[in-house]
Amino acid sequence: MAFVSIYTVGRLTHPHDHPASREFYDVGFRVMRQAYVSGHLIEEFSSDGVSLPEEEEGSGYPVLTLTIWKNLQSLYSFTYAGKHSQALRNRNKWMEPDDGKHSSYVVWWTERVKDVSWEEAFTRYHYYLEHQATPFAFDLKRAFDESGKPCILKKN
């Protein structure tokens, strides 16, 4: 049975200790609490001490997440419902606008939780930016199932 990993990257408009950024982290804590309670989140990796690759340097204050989920449908359902959906609608309050050149996330399948790492996340992300959605690295709009076939995800 394979699991699905997702790496997200964004840039806060304000420093981490700014009131707007503190609001972002407060909301993020509640979002992650809901993810754990769902029973579908398997692992959340700490980003403490993780640096963005040099080619991702830019303005703003980076925020990275790396999580593993039981399956693609549960990740999709969580992303577009509940507290996370509300946070997505409010992201312009906290995050720099999307420049259209980069994605804010990438998704991929993994057989073993212990194989997922920040290095792999960066590799998958850069592959996705260069090649767009493939079974190796994709997004939720152009997803692939465990066997590498395109699939359509549906809101529950």
Side-chain angles (χ1 to χ4, degrees), residues 145-156:
D145 66 17
E146 291 178 61
S147 65
K149 295 180 183 155
C151 66
I152 297 172
L153 300 165
K154 297 182 177 156
K155 292 182 183 176
N156 290 342

Side-chain angles (χ1 to χ4, degrees), residues 52-155:
L52 282 172
E54 196 173 295
E55 61 272 13
E56 289 183 43
E57 292 300 319
S59 62
Y61 303 86
V63 176
L64 313 173
T65 68
L66 178 56
T67 55
I68 304 174
W69 294 77
K70 284 187 177 179
N71 59 59
L72 188 57
Q73 185 60 53
S74 63
L75 168 61
Y76 181 81
S77 296
F78 178 79
T79 299
Y80 296 108
K83 293 182 188 322
H84 191 269
S85 177
Q86 182 62 45
L88 286 175
R89 286 191 294 276
N90 290 327
R91 71 179 151 209
N92 291 339
K93 289 172 39 178
W94 309 304
M95 307 302 274
E96 289 186 343
D98 183 5
D99 64 6
K101 297 177 186 171
H102 296 92
S103 176
S104 60
Y105 71 96
V106 67
V107 179
W108 69 95
W109 289 98
T110 187
E111 290 295 322
R112 299 182 318 186
V113 172
K114 71 178 191 169
D115 290 340
V116 177
S117 68
W118 286 104
E119 293 77 20
E120 179 184 22
F122 298 147
T123 298
R124 301 274 182 160
Y125 181 74
H126 289 289
Y127 180 92
Y128 173 81
L129 292 178
E130 189 172 322
H131 302 280
Q132 296 301 306
T134 70
F136 183 76
F138 53 93
D139 58 40
L140 296 174
K141 292 176 185 145
R142 296 164 296 176
F144 293 84
D145 66 17
E146 291 178 61
S147 65
K149 295 180 183 155
C151 66
I152 297 172
L153 300 165
K154 297 182 177 156
K155 292 182 183 176

